[in-house]
Amino acid sequence: MASAPETRIAFVRGQFVPRDTATIPLMDRGFLFGDGVYEVTAVIERRFVDNGPHLDRLDRSLREIGIANPYGRAEWVGIECELMRRNALDNGLIYIQVTRGVAERDFLFPPDLAPSVVLFAQNRRVQHNPLIEKGAAVITLPDQRWARCDIKSTSLLAQVLAKRAAAQANANEVWMTRDGYITEGASSTAFIVTPDGRLVTRTLSPAILPGVTRRTIMRIADQAGLALAERPFTRDEALGAAEAFYTSASTIAIPVTRIDGRIVANGRPGPVFRSLYDQYMQHVLENPQDF
Ligand code: PLP
């Protein structure tokens, strides 16, 4: 009998192992405290999407919480490439998590712990999401996260509960609000296009994650000559927008056609979204790999 391809191999604390039987120590601080950070990078047609900026952000998140990055850039890319190879990953996601490591349970961590590194791959098609044609429904809810949303922390309870609320409302995403303004999606960056054609997304600050997809979308929009504005916007402004969409590594970009049950513009994905999405795909498939 032919052996099954190695479709489920993870990298766990220094070794490639079968994903579904892999274990981490009970005393890992990631498990006990959510004391760690993560990244998600898309792979489309065997190409990493914006891998360099994702590894840059991982480095920044680690620095912000005082964990020394355990690997150099070439080592990270080497592990990712090997993971792709072992999982025959043509299209999907690479998940990276770094926690502070294993120690007797205590809020205060001992100095010089060896960080725990975990990577796994998920086979799925990031492109051709049916929501691209159909449009997504978003609900708005208060942002219940902590004050350092710029760190890609594995402590995601507020987003887990937000996603459950979205599912209960038959919606695809939550746009979270704080002080009357939308901060971002539960797992995405929020964008609108104003009636006069300006692309608007919130200014970077500790209130939001600096989205890698956000950055590339802004660059593409700028190169295409679109007027850009980085500023907060309200739910009411989004409801009156010409277009709305959200971006993330795992979706690239998804048009929003309903907010809190109300139709946005004509209820169909708009031309600015379509054009930016197509240019993003072109950027992925034609540009040299950026590590
Ligand atoms: N904002 C939040 C809270 C997220 O969790 C994510 C992605 O998971 C994003 C924004 C989008 O970031 P990126 O485009 O880097 O995936």
Side-chain angles (χ1 to χ4, degrees), residues 63-118:
R63 213 168 337 111
E64 290 295 322
I65 66 167
I67 296 178
N69 193 335
Y71 296 120
R73 182 59 53 102
E75 289 170 305
W76 278 116
V77 173
I79 297 167
E80 290 179 310
C81 288
E82 184 60 15
L83 190 74
M84 250 175 96
R85 193 188 69 73
R86 291 194 186 222
N87 288 283
L89 187 74
D90 293 343
N91 290 285
L93 303 174
I94 290 180
Y95 177 88
I96 304 178
Q97 176 171 310
V98 183
T99 73
R100 201 175 300 276
V102 180
E104 189 59 37
R105 186 180 183 280
D106 189 349
F107 283 85
L108 181 63
F109 52 86
D112 305 326
L113 279 184
S116 297
V117 175
V118 168

Side-chain angles (χ1 to χ4, degrees), residues 140-274:
T140 60
L141 283 177
D143 193 334
Q144 305 206 26
R145 298 174 301 164
W146 69 328
R148 288 301 307 275
C149 300
D150 56 318
I151 297 170
K152 202 164 167 67
S153 157
T154 55
S155 305
L156 292 167
L157 192 52
Q159 283 111 304
V160 166
L161 297 180
K163 291 284 188 180
R164 179 182 65 171
Q168 285 169 343
N170 286 322
N172 306 99
E173 176 61 306
V174 174
W175 278 7
M176 301 177 291
T177 60
R178 187 173 284 164
D179 300 331
Y181 291 94
I182 289 164
T183 51
E184 59 183 335
S187 62
S188 60
T189 304
F191 284 85
I192 56 168
V193 180
T194 59
D196 65 352
R198 193 173 291 269
L199 182 66
V200 180
T201 194
R202 194 179 170 113
T203 329
L204 293 183
S205 77
I208 63 168
L209 186 76
V212 169
T213 321
R214 171 194 188 277
R215 189 180 96 141
T216 306
I217 282 281
M218 298 287 274
R219 286 196 178 168
I220 290 171
D222 191 39
Q223 280 159 15
L226 227 70
L228 309 177
E230 289 183 68
R231 61 166 174 82
F233 59 90
T234 62
R235 169 184 174 272
D236 279 351
E237 188 179 6
L239 280 167
E243 296 185 32
F245 62 91
Y246 56 82
T247 63
S248 71
S250 59
T251 59
I252 305 298
I254 298 288
V256 173
T257 51
R258 271 164 300 155
I259 300 175
D260 290 335
R262 289 161 62 179
I263 302 289
V264 177
N266 65 4
R268 289 197 297 272
V272 173
F273 161 77
R274 187 78 247 178

